[in-house]
mmCIF file of all heavy atoms in Angstrom:
data_model
loop_
_atom_site.group_PDB
_atom_site.id
_atom_site.type_symbol
_atom_site.label_atom_id
_atom_site.label_comp_id
_atom_site.label_asym_id
_atom_site.label_seq_id
_atom_site.Cartn_x
_atom_site.Cartn_y
_atom_site.Cartn_z
ATOM 1 N N ILE U 1291 -15.581 -6.159 42.464
ATOM 2 C CA ILE U 1291 -15.808 -5.578 41.132
ATOM 3 C C ILE U 1291 -14.594 -5.964 40.296
ATOM 4 O O ILE U 1291 -13.496 -5.440 40.507
ATOM 5 C CB ILE U 1291 -15.959 -4.047 41.193
ATOM 6 C CG1 ILE U 1291 -17.050 -3.649 42.193
ATOM 7 C CG2 ILE U 1291 -16.258 -3.488 39.797
ATOM 8 C CD1 ILE U 1291 -18.428 -4.159 41.860
ATOM 9 N N VAL U 1292 -14.774 -6.899 39.383
ATOM 10 C CA VAL U 1292 -13.650 -7.453 38.628
ATOM 11 C C VAL U 1292 -13.353 -6.599 37.394
ATOM 12 O O VAL U 1292 -12.268 -6.056 37.243
ATOM 13 C CB VAL U 1292 -13.918 -8.919 38.223
ATOM 14 C CG1 VAL U 1292 -12.687 -9.520 37.543
ATOM 15 C CG2 VAL U 1292 -14.302 -9.741 39.453
ATOM 16 N N ARG U 1293 -14.359 -6.465 36.527
ATOM 17 C CA ARG U 1293 -14.141 -5.721 35.290
ATOM 18 C C ARG U 1293 -15.484 -5.410 34.639
ATOM 19 O O ARG U 1293 -16.518 -5.975 35.011
ATOM 20 C CB ARG U 1293 -13.272 -6.532 34.318
ATOM 21 C CG ARG U 1293 -13.975 -7.751 33.738
ATOM 22 C CD ARG U 1293 -13.066 -8.738 33.047
ATOM 23 N NE ARG U 1293 -12.144 -8.081 32.172
ATOM 24 C CZ ARG U 1293 -10.883 -8.497 31.978
ATOM 25 N NH1 ARG U 1293 -10.443 -9.550 32.632
ATOM 26 N NH2 ARG U 1293 -10.092 -7.860 31.146
ATOM 27 N N CYS U 1294 -15.456 -4.542 33.639
ATOM 28 C CA CYS U 1294 -16.619 -4.295 32.782
ATOM 29 C C CYS U 1294 -16.203 -4.564 31.339
ATOM 30 O O CYS U 1294 -15.019 -4.510 30.997
ATOM 31 C CB CYS U 1294 -17.121 -2.865 32.905
ATOM 32 S SG CYS U 1294 -17.765 -2.449 34.530
ATOM 33 N N LEU U 1297 -18.662 -1.352 27.424
ATOM 34 C CA LEU U 1297 -19.475 -0.265 27.962
ATOM 35 C C LEU U 1297 -19.884 0.704 26.856
ATOM 36 O O LEU U 1297 -19.204 0.826 25.830
ATOM 37 C CB LEU U 1297 -18.693 0.506 29.034
ATOM 38 C CG LEU U 1297 -18.367 -0.230 30.327
ATOM 39 C CD1 LEU U 1297 -17.573 0.675 31.257
ATOM 40 C CD2 LEU U 1297 -19.622 -0.736 31.016
ATOM 41 N N ASP U 1301 -18.229 9.734 25.900
ATOM 42 C CA ASP U 1301 -17.438 10.924 25.585
ATOM 43 C C ASP U 1301 -17.251 11.075 24.082
ATOM 44 O O ASP U 1301 -17.345 10.101 23.326
ATOM 45 C CB ASP U 1301 -16.067 10.854 26.272
ATOM 46 C CG ASP U 1301 -16.198 10.880 27.792
ATOM 47 O OD1 ASP U 1301 -17.235 11.359 28.277
ATOM 48 O OD2 ASP U 1301 -15.268 10.414 28.472
ATOM 49 N N ASN U 1303 -14.688 11.370 22.399
ATOM 50 C CA ASN U 1303 -13.541 10.624 21.847
ATOM 51 C C ASN U 1303 -13.874 9.156 21.610
ATOM 52 O O ASN U 1303 -13.011 8.377 21.225
ATOM 53 C CB ASN U 1303 -12.316 10.744 22.764
ATOM 54 C CG ASN U 1303 -12.565 10.159 24.161
ATOM 55 O OD1 ASN U 1303 -13.604 9.556 24.413
ATOM 56 N ND2 ASN U 1303 -11.612 10.342 25.054
ATOM 57 N N PHE U 1305 -14.870 7.028 23.908
ATOM 58 C CA PHE U 1305 -14.593 6.222 25.091
ATOM 59 C C PHE U 1305 -15.385 6.754 26.284
ATOM 60 O O PHE U 1305 -16.230 7.627 26.150
ATOM 61 C CB PHE U 1305 -13.087 6.238 25.408
ATOM 62 C CG PHE U 1305 -12.258 5.521 24.392
ATOM 63 C CD1 PHE U 1305 -11.513 6.230 23.450
ATOM 64 C CD2 PHE U 1305 -12.217 4.132 24.356
ATOM 65 C CE1 PHE U 1305 -10.750 5.569 22.507
ATOM 66 C CE2 PHE U 1305 -11.454 3.469 23.413
ATOM 67 C CZ PHE U 1305 -10.722 4.181 22.491
ATOM 68 N N SER U 1306 -15.101 6.203 27.450
ATOM 69 C CA SER U 1306 -15.634 6.700 28.709
ATOM 70 C C SER U 1306 -14.508 6.680 29.737
ATOM 71 O O SER U 1306 -13.453 6.100 29.494
ATOM 72 C CB SER U 1306 -16.804 5.825 29.195
ATOM 73 O OG SER U 1306 -17.949 6.005 28.381
ATOM 74 N N ASP U 1307 -14.743 7.339 30.879
ATOM 75 C CA ASP U 1307 -13.831 7.279 32.033
ATOM 76 C C ASP U 1307 -14.619 6.617 33.168
ATOM 77 O O ASP U 1307 -15.106 7.290 34.082
ATOM 78 C CB ASP U 1307 -13.374 8.686 32.441
ATOM 79 C CG ASP U 1307 -12.630 9.393 31.307
ATOM 80 O OD1 ASP U 1307 -11.810 8.752 30.647
ATOM 81 O OD2 ASP U 1307 -12.888 10.588 31.090
ATOM 82 N N PRO U 1308 -14.793 5.286 33.103
ATOM 83 C CA PRO U 1308 -15.779 4.639 33.964
ATOM 84 C C PRO U 1308 -15.304 4.323 35.381
ATOM 85 O O PRO U 1308 -14.130 4.056 35.625
ATOM 86 C CB PRO U 1308 -16.070 3.338 33.205
ATOM 87 C CG PRO U 1308 -14.834 3.062 32.428
ATOM 88 C CD PRO U 1308 -14.210 4.387 32.111
ATOM 89 N N TYR U 1309 -16.274 4.377 36.292
ATOM 90 C CA TYR U 1309 -16.078 3.868 37.651
ATOM 91 C C TYR U 1309 -17.399 3.248 38.095
ATOM 92 O O TYR U 1309 -18.454 3.481 37.484
ATOM 93 C CB TYR U 1309 -15.629 4.981 38.601
ATOM 94 C CG TYR U 1309 -16.636 6.079 38.854
ATOM 95 C CD1 TYR U 1309 -17.454 6.062 39.990
ATOM 96 C CD2 TYR U 1309 -16.769 7.143 37.969
ATOM 97 C CE1 TYR U 1309 -18.369 7.073 40.224
ATOM 98 C CE2 TYR U 1309 -17.678 8.163 38.207
ATOM 99 C CZ TYR U 1309 -18.485 8.121 39.336
ATOM 100 O OH TYR U 1309 -19.397 9.114 39.566
ATOM 101 N N VAL U 1310 -17.340 2.440 39.157
ATOM 102 C CA VAL U 1310 -18.514 1.708 39.624
ATOM 103 C C VAL U 1310 -18.868 2.163 41.033
ATOM 104 O O VAL U 1310 -18.004 2.284 41.899
ATOM 105 C CB VAL U 1310 -18.259 0.183 39.623
ATOM 106 C CG1 VAL U 1310 -19.522 -0.580 40.055
ATOM 107 C CG2 VAL U 1310 -17.803 -0.293 38.246
ATOM 108 N N LYS U 1325 -17.198 3.309 46.058
ATOM 109 C CA LYS U 1325 -16.968 3.409 44.619
ATOM 110 C C LYS U 1325 -15.538 3.001 44.287
ATOM 111 O O LYS U 1325 -14.630 3.118 45.117
ATOM 112 C CB LYS U 1325 -17.288 4.800 44.080
ATOM 113 C CG LYS U 1325 -16.524 5.949 44.675
ATOM 114 C CD LYS U 1325 -17.067 7.255 44.085
ATOM 115 C CE LYS U 1325 -16.416 8.468 44.715
ATOM 116 N NZ LYS U 1325 -16.993 9.729 44.220
ATOM 117 N N THR U 1326 -15.373 2.512 43.082
ATOM 118 C CA THR U 1326 -14.056 2.082 42.607
ATOM 119 C C THR U 1326 -13.258 3.303 42.139
ATOM 120 O O THR U 1326 -13.773 4.416 42.086
ATOM 121 C CB THR U 1326 -14.178 1.116 41.415
ATOM 122 O OG1 THR U 1326 -14.752 1.828 40.302
ATOM 123 C CG2 THR U 1326 -15.048 -0.084 41.747
ATOM 124 N N VAL U 1327 -12.029 3.051 41.746
ATOM 125 C CA VAL U 1327 -11.234 4.094 41.101
ATOM 126 C C VAL U 1327 -11.794 4.349 39.700
ATOM 127 O O VAL U 1327 -12.545 3.531 39.166
ATOM 128 C CB VAL U 1327 -9.745 3.689 40.996
ATOM 129 C CG1 VAL U 1327 -9.130 3.516 42.363
ATOM 130 C CG2 VAL U 1327 -9.591 2.409 40.161
ATOM 131 N N VAL U 1328 -11.431 5.479 39.127
ATOM 132 C CA VAL U 1328 -11.823 5.813 37.755
ATOM 133 C C VAL U 1328 -10.760 5.264 36.796
ATOM 134 O O VAL U 1328 -9.563 5.408 37.038
ATOM 135 C CB VAL U 1328 -11.945 7.341 37.574
ATOM 136 C CG1 VAL U 1328 -12.264 7.697 36.119
ATOM 137 C CG2 VAL U 1328 -13.004 7.909 38.516
ATOM 138 N N LYS U 1329 -11.204 4.614 35.732
ATOM 139 C CA LYS U 1329 -10.289 4.152 34.683
ATOM 140 C C LYS U 1329 -10.463 5.050 33.466
ATOM 141 O O LYS U 1329 -11.577 5.225 32.970
ATOM 142 C CB LYS U 1329 -10.588 2.693 34.306
ATOM 143 C CG LYS U 1329 -10.388 1.710 35.463
ATOM 144 C CD LYS U 1329 -8.929 1.562 35.816
ATOM 145 C CE LYS U 1329 -8.722 0.525 36.909
ATOM 146 N NZ LYS U 1329 -7.313 0.296 37.208
ATOM 147 N N LYS U 1330 -9.377 5.616 32.991
ATOM 148 C CA LYS U 1330 -9.442 6.624 31.924
ATOM 149 C C LYS U 1330 -9.526 5.999 30.528
ATOM 150 O O LYS U 1330 -8.862 5.006 30.243
ATOM 151 C CB LYS U 1330 -8.193 7.516 31.978
ATOM 152 C CG LYS U 1330 -8.046 8.309 33.275
ATOM 153 C CD LYS U 1330 -8.926 9.525 33.256
ATOM 154 C CE LYS U 1330 -8.613 10.440 34.428
ATOM 155 N NZ LYS U 1330 -9.474 11.602 34.465
ATOM 156 N N LYS U 1331 -10.334 6.618 29.687
ATOM 157 C CA LYS U 1331 -10.397 6.324 28.246
ATOM 158 C C LYS U 1331 -10.450 4.832 27.941
ATOM 159 O O LYS U 1331 -9.579 4.283 27.269
ATOM 160 C CB LYS U 1331 -9.198 6.955 27.524
ATOM 161 C CG LYS U 1331 -9.271 8.472 27.446
ATOM 162 C CD LYS U 1331 -8.148 9.033 26.597
ATOM 163 C CE LYS U 1331 -8.189 10.544 26.572
ATOM 164 N NZ LYS U 1331 -7.071 11.124 25.840
ATOM 165 N N THR U 1332 -11.488 4.182 28.416
ATOM 166 C CA THR U 1332 -11.638 2.754 28.130
ATOM 167 C C THR U 1332 -13.112 2.370 28.180
ATOM 168 O O THR U 1332 -13.905 2.995 28.891
ATOM 169 C CB THR U 1332 -10.843 1.892 29.126
ATOM 170 O OG1 THR U 1332 -11.047 0.509 28.813
ATOM 171 C CG2 THR U 1332 -11.277 2.136 30.566
ATOM 172 N N LEU U 1333 -13.465 1.355 27.404
ATOM 173 C CA LEU U 1333 -14.803 0.775 27.463
ATOM 174 C C LEU U 1333 -14.746 -0.641 28.034
ATOM 175 O O LEU U 1333 -15.764 -1.310 28.148
ATOM 176 C CB LEU U 1333 -15.431 0.756 26.061
ATOM 177 C CG LEU U 1333 -15.563 2.125 25.388
ATOM 178 C CD1 LEU U 1333 -16.151 1.987 23.995
ATOM 179 C CD2 LEU U 1333 -16.409 3.087 26.220
ATOM 180 N N ASN U 1334 -13.524 -1.063 28.392
ATOM 181 C CA ASN U 1334 -13.316 -2.403 28.959
ATOM 182 C C ASN U 1334 -12.417 -2.317 30.197
ATOM 183 O O ASN U 1334 -11.325 -2.886 30.223
ATOM 184 C CB ASN U 1334 -12.694 -3.324 27.907
ATOM 185 C CG ASN U 1334 -13.567 -3.455 26.666
ATOM 186 O OD1 ASN U 1334 -14.615 -4.084 26.683
ATOM 187 N ND2 ASN U 1334 -13.142 -2.816 25.575
ATOM 188 N N PRO U 1335 -12.866 -1.586 31.234
ATOM 189 C CA PRO U 1335 -11.997 -1.356 32.390
ATOM 190 C C PRO U 1335 -11.823 -2.596 33.256
ATOM 191 O O PRO U 1335 -12.740 -3.419 33.373
ATOM 192 C CB PRO U 1335 -12.753 -0.269 33.168
ATOM 193 C CG PRO U 1335 -14.191 -0.509 32.823
ATOM 194 C CD PRO U 1335 -14.187 -0.948 31.389
ATOM 195 N N GLU U 1336 -10.652 -2.726 33.861
ATOM 196 C CA GLU U 1336 -10.379 -3.778 34.846
ATOM 197 C C GLU U 1336 -10.168 -3.112 36.200
ATOM 198 O O GLU U 1336 -9.390 -2.162 36.303
ATOM 199 C CB GLU U 1336 -9.130 -4.571 34.456
ATOM 200 C CG GLU U 1336 -9.303 -5.388 33.195
ATOM 201 C CD GLU U 1336 -8.131 -6.336 32.963
ATOM 202 O OE1 GLU U 1336 -7.649 -6.924 33.951
ATOM 203 O OE2 GLU U 1336 -7.712 -6.471 31.807
ATOM 204 N N TYR U 1337 -10.849 -3.618 37.225
ATOM 205 C CA TYR U 1337 -10.770 -3.001 38.557
ATOM 206 C C TYR U 1337 -10.102 -3.924 39.589
ATOM 207 O O TYR U 1337 -9.185 -3.527 40.284
ATOM 208 C CB TYR U 1337 -12.170 -2.619 39.050
ATOM 209 C CG TYR U 1337 -12.829 -1.572 38.197
ATOM 210 C CD1 TYR U 1337 -13.784 -1.931 37.246
ATOM 211 C CD2 TYR U 1337 -12.504 -0.224 38.305
ATOM 212 C CE1 TYR U 1337 -14.395 -0.981 36.445
ATOM 213 C CE2 TYR U 1337 -13.105 0.731 37.502
ATOM 214 C CZ TYR U 1337 -14.049 0.348 36.576
ATOM 215 O OH TYR U 1337 -14.651 1.279 35.772
ATOM 216 N N HIS U 1338 -10.610 -5.140 39.707
ATOM 217 C CA HIS U 1338 -10.102 -6.102 40.698
ATOM 218 C C HIS U 1338 -10.076 -5.476 42.099
ATOM 219 O O HIS U 1338 -9.073 -5.538 42.798
ATOM 220 C CB HIS U 1338 -8.714 -6.612 40.293
ATOM 221 C CG HIS U 1338 -8.693 -7.254 38.945
ATOM 222 N ND1 HIS U 1338 -9.269 -8.480 38.691
ATOM 223 C CD2 HIS U 1338 -8.184 -6.832 37.755
ATOM 224 C CE1 HIS U 1338 -9.119 -8.785 37.412
ATOM 225 N NE2 HIS U 1338 -8.470 -7.795 36.819
ATOM 226 N N GLU U 1339 -11.192 -4.863 42.480
ATOM 227 C CA GLU U 1339 -11.330 -4.264 43.808
ATOM 228 C C GLU U 1339 -12.386 -5.017 44.612
ATOM 229 O O GLU U 1339 -13.382 -5.500 44.047
ATOM 230 C CB GLU U 1339 -11.742 -2.792 43.691
ATOM 231 C CG GLU U 1339 -10.690 -1.878 43.086
ATOM 232 C CD GLU U 1339 -11.106 -0.411 43.164
ATOM 233 O OE1 GLU U 1339 -11.467 0.044 44.269
ATOM 234 O OE2 GLU U 1339 -11.082 0.257 42.118
ATOM 235 N N VAL U 1359 -22.710 2.000 36.984
ATOM 236 C CA VAL U 1359 -21.476 2.375 36.296
ATOM 237 C C VAL U 1359 -21.648 3.785 35.741
ATOM 238 O O VAL U 1359 -22.667 4.100 35.111
ATOM 239 C CB VAL U 1359 -21.144 1.381 35.163
ATOM 240 C CG1 VAL U 1359 -19.799 1.726 34.524
ATOM 241 C CG2 VAL U 1359 -21.108 -0.056 35.699
ATOM 242 N N TRP U 1360 -20.644 4.626 35.994
ATOM 243 C CA TRP U 1360 -20.698 6.044 35.637
ATOM 244 C C TRP U 1360 -19.469 6.438 34.824
ATOM 245 O O TRP U 1360 -18.409 5.852 34.967
ATOM 246 C CB TRP U 1360 -20.743 6.908 36.905
ATOM 247 C CG TRP U 1360 -21.930 6.647 37.771
ATOM 248 C CD1 TRP U 1360 -22.115 5.591 38.631
ATOM 249 C CD2 TRP U 1360 -23.123 7.428 37.856
ATOM 250 N NE1 TRP U 1360 -23.336 5.676 39.248
ATOM 251 C CE2 TRP U 1360 -23.976 6.800 38.787
ATOM 252 C CE3 TRP U 1360 -23.538 8.613 37.243
ATOM 253 C CZ2 TRP U 1360 -25.238 7.307 39.119
ATOM 254 C CZ3 TRP U 1360 -24.793 9.122 37.573
ATOM 255 C CH2 TRP U 1360 -25.625 8.472 38.499
ATOM 256 N N ASP U 1361 -19.661 7.448 34.006
ATOM 257 C CA ASP U 1361 -18.559 8.059 33.258
ATOM 258 C C ASP U 1361 -18.188 9.363 33.965
ATOM 259 O O ASP U 1361 -19.023 10.256 34.099
ATOM 260 C CB ASP U 1361 -19.005 8.336 31.811
ATOM 261 C CG ASP U 1361 -18.038 9.264 31.091
ATOM 262 O OD1 ASP U 1361 -16.823 8.993 31.150
ATOM 263 O OD2 ASP U 1361 -18.492 10.254 30.491
ATOM 264 N N ARG U 1362 -16.942 9.431 34.429
ATOM 265 C CA ARG U 1362 -16.481 10.621 35.158
ATOM 266 C C ARG U 1362 -16.310 11.795 34.189
ATOM 267 O O ARG U 1362 -15.625 11.692 33.180
ATOM 268 C CB ARG U 1362 -15.137 10.298 35.834
ATOM 269 C CG ARG U 1362 -14.545 11.443 36.639
ATOM 270 C CD ARG U 1362 -15.373 11.697 37.891
ATOM 271 N NE ARG U 1362 -14.764 12.719 38.724
ATOM 272 C CZ ARG U 1362 -13.870 12.457 39.683
ATOM 273 N NH1 ARG U 1362 -13.480 11.216 39.896
ATOM 274 N NH2 ARG U 1362 -13.384 13.427 40.410
ATOM 275 N N ASP U 1363 -16.952 12.898 34.503
ATOM 276 C CA ASP U 1363 -16.879 14.091 33.668
ATOM 277 C C ASP U 1363 -16.655 15.317 34.531
ATOM 278 O O ASP U 1363 -16.960 15.306 35.725
ATOM 279 C CB ASP U 1363 -18.190 14.285 32.880
ATOM 280 C CG ASP U 1363 -18.082 13.763 31.461
ATOM 281 O OD1 ASP U 1363 -16.944 13.608 30.983
ATOM 282 O OD2 ASP U 1363 -19.121 13.497 30.841
ATOM 283 N N ILE U 1370 -24.035 5.328 32.942
ATOM 284 C CA ILE U 1370 -23.907 4.379 31.834
ATOM 285 C C ILE U 1370 -24.940 3.263 31.951
ATOM 286 O O ILE U 1370 -25.676 2.977 31.010
ATOM 287 C CB ILE U 1370 -22.475 3.789 31.773
ATOM 288 C CG1 ILE U 1370 -21.457 4.901 31.483
ATOM 289 C CG2 ILE U 1370 -22.390 2.696 30.708
ATOM 290 C CD1 ILE U 1370 -20.000 4.449 31.503
#
Side-chain angles (χ1 to χ4, degrees):
I1291 306 298
V1292 185
R1293 70 194 314 145
C1294 295
L1297 293 179
D1301 296 338
N1303 61 7
F1305 292 104
S1306 289
D1307 300 317
Y1309 66 97
V1310 183
K1325 59 184 176 184
T1326 65
V1327 297
V1328 176
K1329 298 291 183 176
K1330 298 280 190 182
K1331 289 186 183 176
T1332 179
L1333 301 178
N1334 301 288
E1336 293 189 40
Y1337 296 100
H1338 302 289
E1339 293 187 52
V1359 184
W1360 299 78
D1361 166 49
R1362 180 70 176 271
D1363 262 340
I1370 296 176

